[in-house]
Each structure stands twice: as structure tokens, then as C-alpha cells.
Amino acid sequence: MVSKAVAKYVHALHLKKYRTRHDAFLVEGGKSVRELLSSGILIERLITTPEFADKIAAELPTGVPLDLVSADELTRLSSLSTNNTALAVARLPAENALQPDPNQLLLALDDVRDPGNVGTLIRLADWYGLAGVVCSETCADPWAPKTVVATMGSFTRVPIWQRDLPAWLATLPAGLPVYGADLHGDNVHRLTLQPSGVLIMGSESHGLTPPVEACLTQRLHIPGRGQAESLNVAVSAAILLDNFFRNL
């Protein structure tokens, strides 16, 4: 069993205010923990079942406290409904300012509040090799347990920056393309897009906020043929990103 102090600390990191206070976050599940172990992110503590520790014995870092617990105890510590592998406490990576180079595409998220969607969007950025993800201050916390799980390990590879999005957009060089999904935009299938600039995805329910919408240089529309009111924001982002990279 872990000590009461360790259990209290782990449970505290389920909440953003304590992640900010301690400059730490949780990584849950075997796949995500193994991605963490192969990254450069600093690890404070590992908590695993004995079976999983044996499985990854060659990957375990020296000098990192390791607690062996039952699957039941691990699940009680975790935000997952079931966790029979591992949980890690890691240090929040240092944030670096993200500014797009002329031949790079950044993904920006405007008021995307579902942690699963934010995590999936970070995973998409990893798949397409984007330069990073800029999240508005009203987005779900990129380091919340549910967000980290949804990235499927991509949190170790994608630079993430949470900022006042309209203020950041105002600092971009003049002439840099700033794209946004919009029902009244240009049909994305009729465009030839280059992966340069910023693609902004907004809330599935409300779209882009007015201050962010005012910064767009081009609006993109995904045409549909059925009766669905809208697409999930991560699905929309995947379709749009594929169009940016289709001819490369």
C-alpha cells in the first residue's frame, strides 16, 4: 500500500489548482506510462501493480520511487474506472512560446471544454506532425487526467501552450494564414491548402468566440449531405487537417 501522504497527494492532483500548485500531473494507464518513461519528462513517482512492474522491468528508471500495489488500490488512486497497470506522478513540462514558422502549421483550440476532445486534438497534432497546440484559457486543462489519457501518449511529443488566444493571435506576423472552421466558410474540398499558419477549432456547441473569429483570414467549411446538426470538434479537425496535408 502507498502511504496516506502519497495517496492524498495523488488525489489532490486530480484537481487543477493542485496541479498548478505542485507543478505536477498524473499519467494513468500502461500505454501512457510507458510513453512517459521513454520521454524526457521528469517523473516523481511510479505506482504499479507487481505484474506490470515485472513486464516493464527493463524500462524502469533508477532513482524514481516505485510503489507496488494491487489493481484495486491502483484503481482507487486513479481517475480511470479500472486501472490494473500503472500510474505516474510527473513534473509539468516547461512551457515554451509557440510561434509558427512560415512552413509550419499550429493547431489552436478556442474554448474546447471537453477534456476528451482536447486530448484527441493533441493526438491529431502528433499524427500530422504539427508544431504544437495553443489552448485558450477557457479550454479544458491539457494536463487534466482525462485529457492526458485521451492523448494516448502524444502529450510527451506535442508542445502545448495555454494562453489568452486573441492576445496571442494579435502577435502573429501580418500575412500569416489564420484558418477557422465555419459553417459559412469556403468548401474545404475545393481548396488547395498548404500546412502553414494556424488552424483554429472552436467549441462544438458555440463555434469560435467573436474575438478569435475576428482574427481569421480564411473560413473553412466541411460540406455534409445528411441531417446532422454538427460534427464533433475532433472529427472536424481531422477532416480539415487531412486536407492541409493531402497533396504532400
Side-chain angles (χ1 to χ4, degrees), residues 9 12-25 91-92 141 143 162:
Y9 181 45
L13 294 178
H14 289 226
L15 301 176
K16 182 175 182 178
K17 67 177 181 178
Y18 292 111
R19 291 193 292 273
T20 302
R21 180 180 301 177
H22 296 291
D23 204 29
F25 70 108
R91 305 299 296 171
L92 286 171
D141 183 8
W143 303 106
Q162 194 157 25

Side-chain angles (χ1 to χ4, degrees), residues 73-226:
E73 184 176 3
L74 188 59
T75 297
R76 288 194 294 272
L77 292 169
S78 177
S79 71
L80 300 174
S81 58
T82 302
N83 187 350
N84 59 5
T85 51
L87 177 153
V89 177
R91 305 299 296 171
L92 286 171
E95 285 194 329
N96 295 312
L98 290 175
Q99 294 291 335
D101 290 332
N103 297 314
Q104 287 185 326
L105 184 65
L106 279 172
L107 182 63
L109 309 182
D110 181 25
D111 199 33
V112 179
R113 300 199 177 197
D114 181 87
N117 282 334
V118 172
T120 303
L121 287 157
I122 292 169
R123 187 179 178 190
L124 277 170
D126 189 17
W127 178 261
Y128 284 100
L130 303 190
V133 177
V134 181
C135 298
S136 73
E137 294 175 331
T138 55
C139 279
D141 183 8
W143 303 106
K146 289 183 180 179
T147 310
V148 173
V149 167
T151 72
M152 295 294 286
S154 293
F155 71 93
T156 63
R157 292 180 290 273
V158 177
I160 302 166
W161 205 35
Q162 194 157 25
R163 281 295 179 272
D164 179 322
L165 196 53
W168 174 73
L169 290 168
T171 69
L172 298 180
L176 187 80
V178 179
Y179 303 95
D182 190 290
L183 288 173
H184 305 291
D186 299 319
N187 184 336
V188 70
H189 299 311
R190 296 175 181 169
L191 301 174
T192 301
L193 299 170
Q194 297 299 317
S196 174
V198 181
L199 171 63
I200 309 175
M201 303 303 300
S203 159
E204 188 174 322
S205 302
H206 307 293
L208 298 175
T209 58
V212 169
E213 190 175 14
C215 299
L216 299 182
T217 62
Q218 187 167 10
R219 301 164 191 265
L220 305 177
H221 172 54
I222 302 168
R225 300 182 64 182

